[in-house]
Amino acid sequence: MEKPEGMVGQFIFSISEFAEMNGITTETLRYYDRIGLLKPIVKKKSGWRYYTIRQYEKIRTIIELRKAGMSIKEVQAYFDNRNLQKSIRMIEKLQKDLQRRIDEEIQMNRELLEKIKFLHSLEDLTPCGTIFEKDFPARYMVTLDVTSVNREEHAMEYTKLTSILKTRIPILASDRVGIYSDEKILYPSAGFVKAYPMLLVDPGDADSEYVIQIPPGRYVCMYYSDGLLQKYHPSFDKVREYLEEHHLTISGHILQTYKVDVTLTNESEEVVIELQVPVKKNRQPEVTLPRLPGRYPLQA
């Protein structure tokens, strides 16, 4: 390509040559020209742009600052009234921002590994409809203590709950989404039973003001499919019969959590919910249990 008059030499480059030698596109160079970040040494009326090798250091600095994570505005500020102390401050800030992103990615990796571990545990899931007893340690949940009576209210509460969590991917591939209610969930009803949406969490997942401890204890559990949270399922009859046969009394709030949900499958028959009923033997002394607001007390 013919060089502009008065600038003949091997160190003058067209926009395409300069872009190629620096591993960027001509459009990137045109953009830098438009915003005043890096202007060509010559720009002809025809639109042709020419650069000199002396601009190499600036374009490489721009490229490296962008690779390190600086925004265009930050790069422009970097070149504005530069001096050594300003450059030190900006590069130190760049490193701290990078370290924060690295820490976030490491935490994301930990969360994904936990989710993969959980997903593999689903391969050995107890068959749906099988009743079993399990001792749970103390667990924690976040709840806003607001009842929901339909799926829309239910979803709205989860939206609010996830917004207060510190984890980045709390819902995907987890068994933490659920509700707690009283024993009315175990009896046939036409619609949804009033319940409290909640998310099971680790203590550090949210500010302590939102975290409530679920007491440790024994639970009668069952997985079931083709069902919904807050709604009676025919398999619950078996749970009531089991409680009666084994002389067990409900001793707290009943939990329902998704084991396999819509974050994992579009097939409704693959959705699995776990029912957890806290129990005690009838011969144990009666315990006064806290009531759910607006609900009937649990019956011994």
Side-chain angles (χ1 to χ4, degrees), residues 98-141:
L98 175 61
Q99 185 63 57
R100 175 184 52 78
R101 294 196 302 272
I102 290 172
D103 292 342
E104 289 176 352
E105 293 304 310
I106 290 173
Q107 179 58 34
M108 174 77 80
N109 187 56
R110 289 197 191 102
E111 293 181 29
L112 287 173
L113 288 173
E114 284 297 316
K115 290 177 183 298
I116 291 171
K117 181 180 178 181
F118 164 72
L119 290 173
H120 283 301
S121 74
L122 298 177
E123 298 173 343
D124 299 319
L125 206 62
T126 302
C128 288
T130 301
I131 298 174
F132 59 97
E133 295 187 28
K134 182 176 180 179
D135 291 318
F136 283 95
R139 293 176 290 173
Y140 300 87
M141 66 177 175

Side-chain angles (χ1 to χ4, degrees), residues 53-279:
I53 193 62
R54 287 174 297 187
Q55 293 175 290
Y56 170 81
E57 290 180 352
K58 184 168 184 179
I59 188 61
R60 293 310 306 176
T61 302
I62 293 170
I63 291 170
E64 291 175 17
L65 290 175
R66 293 287 287 146
K67 283 183 177 179
M70 265 196 189
S71 68
I72 286 295
K73 286 186 177 180
E74 288 173 325
V75 173
Q76 288 177 308
Y78 180 84
F79 284 103
D80 184 28
N81 298 319
R82 267 195 308 167
N83 58 52
L84 179 60
Q85 289 303 312
K86 178 184 176 183
S87 296
I88 291 172
R89 289 195 303 271
M90 292 195 71
I91 293 175
E92 285 179 339
K93 179 181 181 300
L94 182 62
Q95 186 277 326
K96 290 178 182 178
D97 290 342
L98 175 61
Q99 185 63 57
R100 175 184 52 78
R101 294 196 302 272
I102 290 172
D103 292 342
E104 289 176 352
E105 293 304 310
I106 290 173
Q107 179 58 34
M108 174 77 80
N109 187 56
R110 289 197 191 102
E111 293 181 29
L112 287 173
L113 288 173
E114 284 297 316
K115 290 177 183 298
I116 291 171
K117 181 180 178 181
F118 164 72
L119 290 173
H120 283 301
S121 74
L122 298 177
E123 298 173 343
D124 299 319
L125 206 62
T126 302
C128 288
T130 301
I131 298 174
F132 59 97
E133 295 187 28
K134 182 176 180 179
D135 291 318
F136 283 95
R139 293 176 290 173
Y140 300 87
M141 66 177 175
V142 289
T143 179
L144 299 175
D145 287 328
V146 176
T147 56
S148 62
V149 294
N150 56 51
R151 298 182 72 177
E152 288 73 21
E153 292 180 357
H154 189 91
M156 181 59 69
E157 288 307 304
Y158 285 122
T159 300
K160 296 175 183 177
L161 287 172
T162 53
S163 69
I164 66 176
L165 297 183
K166 298 177 182 179
T167 52
R168 296 175 66 182
I169 43 177
I171 302 301
L172 171 68
S174 73
D175 56 352
R176 298 189 168 203
V177 177
I179 57 98
Y180 65 98
S181 61
D182 59 29
E183 83 286 356
K184 289 189 72 175
I185 192 67
L186 299 180
Y187 293 87
S189 61
F192 289 88
V193 172
K194 283 187 178 181
Y196 291 80
M198 61 87 184
L199 295 174
L200 295 173
V201 297
D202 294 324
D205 287 350
D207 294 334
S208 58
E209 63 180 299
Y210 299 107
V211 178
I212 298 175
Q213 186 185 78
I214 303 173
R218 170 148 291 212
Y219 286 73
V220 170
C221 304
M222 181 184 68
Y223 301 123
Y224 64 98
S225 60
D226 191 28
L228 297 169
L229 295 182
Q230 295 186 237
K231 199 165 187 180
Y232 166 81
H233 190 272
S235 63
F236 294 175
D237 293 344
K238 293 172 59 177
V239 175
R240 298 201 319 272
E241 292 170 2
Y242 183 94
L243 297 178
E244 183 176 354
E245 179 183 349
H246 291 79
H247 309 290
L248 297 172
T249 298
I250 299 172
S251 62
H253 303 322
I254 295 172
L255 304 180
Q256 289 174 283
T257 59
Y258 280 112
K259 207 73 176 177
V260 179
D261 63 10
V262 294
T263 67
L264 296 173
T265 180
N266 289 329
E267 305 296 332
S268 58
E269 64 272 14
E270 290 186 331
V271 173
V272 176
I273 299 174
E274 182 176 7
L275 179 74
Q276 301 174 4
V277 182
V279 295

